[in-house]
Amino acid sequence: MEAHQHSPDSSSEECTVLEAPPGKNACLQHAGKVAELFCSACECALCEDCVPDHEEHPQVALSQALEQHRSSLQERLGGVQNRLPQISDALSFVKEILQQLTNQRASIEEDIQSSFEDLHKQLDVRKSVLLMELEVTYGLKQKVLQAQVDSLVRGEGDIEASCTQTEEALAGEACVASLQAEQELRERLGELAGLGLPCQPEENDQLDLLLETDGLRKSIHNLGTIVTTSAVASQSEAMGAGLEQCVVGHPASVTIVTRDKSGGACKSGNAILSAEVFTPDGSIVDGEIVDHKNGTYEFVYTVPKEGDFSLALRLYDQHIKGSPFKLTINRVLEVSPSTTTATNSAAYATPSTGSSEGAKRRGKSPGQKKKGSKRASSALGTPRRKTQNPIEDDLIFRIGTKGRNKGEFTNLQGVAASSSGRIIIADSNNQCVQIFSNEGEFKSRFGLRGRSPGQLQRPTGVAVHPTGDIIIADYDNKWVSIFTSEGKYKAKLGSGRLMGPKGVSVDQNGHVIVVDNKACTVFIFQLTGKLIAKFGSRGNGDKQFAGPHFAAVNNNNEIIVTDFHNHSVKVFTPEGELVLKFGSNGEGNGQFNAPTGVAVDVNGNIIVADWGNSRIQVFDGSGSFLSYINTSADPLYGPQGLALTSDGHVVVADSGNHCFKVYRYLQ
């Protein structure tokens, strides 16, 4: 075969087109052909042999098409790469939730083990008591019956012996010799005939066991429940008039509907839901969340002043749909026919005890309001300082601004003071505890956000145990945590019992008093976690509460509780018996608009933070009004926790101003 030869007139350029290097823009349809065009309609490369089949289609240069495709691919790559940080954050968050879920499982497993071990111990103790009681009862009854048996046996033996001797004598021949013996037998038989023997039973054989096990078995069968929901924040939503327009001093309501990941309505309650109404400078308004146990919840709140507010609704620490919501709060003044003016100055007029809710104003200085506002020297035993300066007050210093750093706070709540000269602050929205000296010098802080033991989710109450341990009420984790004075976690108590612990205190026996705001109940625990007593329920009766906040203990070991929505202070014995109740809703001396913090001085006087009226009132041990602490120069804004320092001053958490303040207090 001859080798193929090129024609003399074949050009080198034609050879270049027909014999392109393999793979370099090679046409996929025609081997050895180079693609130089691109069909936009078919999205394929074209060589010269492909062109006739695509004459009616738009075509562009292949190099241009490749550049456009590369540009489009680069753009999509950038778009996808931009998702990586979001996915990374989501991955970290989901891993954190998974870890918390695992930790919670371990914690609950520990609680189940310890609870049932405790029940086993109690059952064993009860079994031992019953067995001991059985032995004692049996012994007493057996002793009586055995003594009777012994007596009858002896009597029977004596009679039988005497009868046998007599029968033998009678069987013999009567003679003078037997006369003496028979005479003795006659006397003996006479004695035996009249012998008093216990022939009637002196005891009975009843030994029964009353053991009502049916109810116990049913209780055991239903003992404990693993509580959870499938609710997710991204699908849950809120509705109601409370999302639109509210009136100062009037309750507003918002309904929250929880839904699962598919948008289906959840049918069970117990979801961990939090709600806060706040101004741009921070949270100031408390409210109450009611769990309807059917997947829906109601948040009821009252705003004390007009303006633009925000409502944050979080489910498992994540905003639900639309949260935070913007609120507009308006003031509605109720003007009576006798009113001669209705200007804005009415907000500063001296209020009477019968003034309407709508006319209430927060932040007013008690010193400017009414007679008895200033601290009379006769009230607490020591003359006041000079009063010629009308704005001079009892403030010594204030510490803090809004923030997350040391010495900064976001919605601080509880306050405690130690005998060693320390002030302990529950910094609620920063999920930590901060410690200062009595002079306001920052010392330390501790706390890590989370839902595992040793972490803090929403610390609201704080107390110091005589051992030096720091006790923290964690509202959202639904337990009380115990830390050393250095902030090292030791234990928790109340898990599975508490619904929303707000305040904590310690009685004279070292027992931990817990005010459960959500359950409207006061619990008393040993430091080991053993429940000693509980009292209270939801309502407006003497032994009932409506959103109780904080507690203190007086010298009689009586428990003083602030009843927030009932606008009163109640004093109870450790057994839950009401000793004293004082206060009513209003702005007058001795009245409250939602009391919060409470403390007791060495003389038994009761100091109360009046949240809605933004003031601090002082009462004697019988509930009679004594005085105010003057806060005129730097008014309080929604005070919460309250305590007496070791050097005799009053420290209060000024929640709305994101600081704590220390005032002179003359005991």
Side-chain angles (χ1 to χ4, degrees):
M1 179 180 296
E2 293 181 358
H4 175 74
Q5 294 182 351
H6 291 292
S7 167
D9 61 350
S10 297
S11 69
S12 60
E13 291 181 3
E14 183 181 3
C15 292
T16 301
V17 173
L18 296 177
E19 298 178 4
K24 178 67 174 179
N25 293 340
C27 179
L28 300 179
Q29 300 294 328
H30 302 93
K33 298 290 185 176
V34 175
E36 293 185 339
L37 298 174
F38 183 82
C39 177
S40 300
C42 301
E43 293 192 343
C44 62
L46 307 177
C47 68
E48 62 180 5
D49 291 348
C50 299
V51 170
D53 296 331
H54 297 266
E55 285 180 345
E56 298 180 357
H57 296 172
Q59 300 173 10
V60 296
L62 180 61
S63 59
Q64 179 183 349
L66 290 176
E67 183 178 348
Q68 290 175 348
H69 273 255
R70 281 293 177 92
S71 176
S72 174
L73 183 61
Q74 184 65 44
E75 183 179 348
R76 293 199 177 186
L77 174 62
V80 172
Q81 286 177 333
N82 288 338
R83 292 200 62 195
L84 288 176
Q86 177 187 2
I87 295 173
S88 178
D89 291 343
L91 179 61
S92 298
F93 188 53
V94 173
K95 282 184 176 180
E96 180 184 352
I97 294 175
L98 179 60
Q99 184 60 51
Q100 290 178 352
L101 178 67
T102 303
N103 295 342
Q104 191 68 2
R105 173 190 173 276
S107 175
I108 291 176
E109 184 177 11
E110 179 184 342
D111 288 343
I112 292 172
Q113 294 286 0
S114 61
S115 296
F116 277 83
E117 285 174 5
D118 185 55
L119 287 174
H120 277 299
K121 290 178 182 177
Q122 292 188 38
L123 286 172
D124 287 340
V125 169
R126 185 58 186 162
K127 181 177 74 172
S128 299
V129 169
L130 284 174
L131 290 174
M132 183 181 297
E133 185 179 342
L134 174 64
E135 286 304 310
V136 170
T137 305
Y138 166 77
L140 294 174
K141 296 172 77 73
Q142 185 268 347
K143 184 178 180 180
V144 172
L145 291 173
Q146 188 61 52
Q148 185 176 5
V149 167
D150 293 343
S151 178
L152 289 173
V153 167
R154 286 194 302 272
E156 182 184 38
D158 291 344
I159 291 174
E160 287 179 347
S162 297
C163 288
T164 300
Q165 291 178 3
T166 302
E167 288 172 351
E168 290 176 351
L170 291 174
E173 184 178 357
C175 62
V176 175
S178 63
L179 186 61
Q180 180 65 32
E182 290 178 1
Q183 182 64 31
E184 292 176 358
L185 286 172
R186 186 182 298 110
E187 292 175 0
R188 177 61 176 160
L189 289 174
E191 292 175 0
L192 292 174
L195 181 63
L197 293 174
C199 294
Q200 296 301 318
E202 296 181 345
E203 196 35 287
N204 58 61
D205 62 352
Q206 183 183 12
L207 269 181
D208 294 327
L209 175 64
L210 290 179
L211 196 62
E212 297 292 341
T213 59
D214 289 345
L216 180 60
R217 291 178 190 275
K218 184 177 180 180
S219 297
I220 292 175
H221 180 75
N222 297 318
L223 181 61
T225 302
I226 305 300
V227 177
T228 189
T229 75
S230 299
V232 294
S234 61
Q235 296 292 335
S236 299
E237 53 195 354
M239 59 195 70
L243 290 179
E244 300 167 0
Q245 197 171 43
C246 309
V247 177
V248 171
H250 290 260
S253 175
V254 176
T255 299
I256 300 98
V257 179
T258 56
R259 300 185 183 278
D260 60 23
K261 64 179 182 180
S262 302
C266 296
K267 303 298 184 183
S268 61
N270 297 301
I272 299 176
L273 185 70
S274 65
E276 288 181 321
V277 179
F278 55 91
T279 59
D281 65 342
S283 173
I284 62 150
V285 177
D286 273 355
E288 183 177 8
I289 298 175
V290 179
D291 185 351
H292 295 304
K293 302 299 182 182
N294 61 358
T296 67
Y297 304 78
E298 186 176 8
F299 175 55
V300 181
Y301 64 95
T302 303
V303 178
K305 72 168 191 174
E306 58 187 329
D308 293 327
F309 287 68
S310 295
L311 168 61
L313 294 173
R314 294 182 179 89
L315 183 66
Y316 301 107
D317 298 326
Q318 301 172 62
H319 285 284
I320 68 169
K321 281 184 179 179
S323 177
F325 303 91
K326 300 299 181 184
L327 306 177
T328 300
I329 312 299
N330 294 322
R331 178 179 295 277
V332 177
L333 291 176
E334 297 179 5
V335 182
S336 65
S338 61
T339 303
T340 58
T341 179
T343 65
N344 289 337
S345 63
Y348 296 90
T350 301
S352 68
T353 56
S355 62
S356 70
E357 286 287 315
K360 290 182 180 177
R361 182 175 67 90
R362 294 184 65 186
K364 287 180 285 189
S365 165
Q368 299 170 349
K369 285 175 30 175
K370 52 184 77 66
K371 184 178 179 181
S373 297
K374 294 184 179 180
R375 301 177 56 154
S377 60
S378 60
L380 297 177
T382 306
R384 274 182 49 84
R385 57 186 179 167
K386 293 183 290 185
T387 58
Q388 64 266 26
N389 181 355
I391 65 168
E392 186 177 7
D393 68 3
D394 292 321
L395 181 67
I396 301 174
F397 62 83
R398 61 177 283 172
I399 298 293
T401 56
K402 186 183 180 183
R404 304 190 67 87
N405 298 317
K406 297 176 182 179
E408 297 177 340
F409 309 98
T410 307
N411 191 26
L412 67 167
Q413 297 274 312
V415 178
S418 72
S419 58
S420 59
R422 293 290 184 265
I423 296 172
I424 300 98
I425 306 291
D427 191 0
S428 185
N429 286 19
N430 286 335
Q431 292 88 25
C432 71
V433 172
Q434 300 199 47
I435 302 176
F436 299 80
S437 70
N438 279 355
E439 295 72 36
E441 179 186 357
F442 176 83
K443 292 297 182 182
S444 64
R445 76 173 179 177
F446 64 88
L448 180 66
R449 177 181 178 179
R451 297 192 178 276
S452 300
Q455 296 179 320
L456 299 174
Q457 191 62 27
R458 189 182 175 191
T460 52
V462 59
V464 180
H465 196 270
T467 61
D469 289 339
I470 298 174
I471 302 167
I472 306 294
D474 194 329
Y475 191 92
D476 282 355
N477 276 333
K478 302 181 182 181
W479 63 54
V480 172
S481 295
I482 302 172
F483 296 84
T484 66
S485 57
E486 292 78 29
K488 182 179 179 182
Y489 175 72
K490 293 180 68 175
K492 65 182 173 72
L493 56 86
S495 179
R497 295 184 186 272
L498 301 174
M499 296 175 62
K502 171 79 175 183
V504 286
S505 186
V506 180
D507 70 9
Q508 295 177 0
N509 299 316
H511 298 151
V512 179
I513 313 296
V514 183
V515 181
D516 193 325
N517 173 269
K518 213 168 189 179
C520 293
T521 302
V522 173
F523 291 84
I524 305 176
F525 294 94
Q526 290 181 349
L527 204 59
T528 59
K530 181 180 180 180
L531 178 65
I532 298 175
K534 67 175 182 177
F535 58 87
S537 60
R538 183 181 301 277
N540 55 13
D542 287 347
K543 296 183 181 181
Q544 293 181 309
F545 303 105
H549 267 50
F550 293 97
V553 178
N554 64 18
N555 294 331
N556 297 325
N557 207 36
E558 294 166 338
I559 302 168
I560 304 167
V561 182
T562 52
D563 196 354
F564 190 83
H565 293 293
N566 283 332
H567 310 287
S568 62
V569 174
K570 297 175 180 178
V571 183
F572 298 88
T573 67
E575 294 75 33
E577 294 300 319
L578 182 71
V579 176
L580 173 68
K581 171 186 173 183
F582 61 90
S584 61
N585 189 15
E587 295 181 336
N589 295 344
Q591 292 187 307
F592 301 111
N593 183 7
T596 48
V598 61
V600 183
D601 69 18
V602 293
N603 298 316
N605 296 318
I606 302 170
I607 310 159
V608 183
D610 190 356
W611 179 85
N613 290 324
S614 287
R615 63 187 180 184
I616 301 172
Q617 301 191 68
V618 184
F619 302 81
D620 66 17
S622 63
S624 297
F625 173 79
L626 293 178
S627 67
Y628 297 100
I629 289 178
N630 194 341
T631 61
S632 305
D634 188 6
L636 297 169
Y637 193 20
Q640 288 273 354
L642 187 92
L644 274 169
T645 64
S646 58
D647 53 358
H649 300 313
V650 169
V651 56
V652 62
D654 192 355
S655 181
N657 288 321
H658 306 287
C659 68
F660 72 86
K661 295 175 179 176
V662 175
Y663 293 94
R664 292 178 180 84
Y665 177 70
L666 307 176
Q667 300 187 42

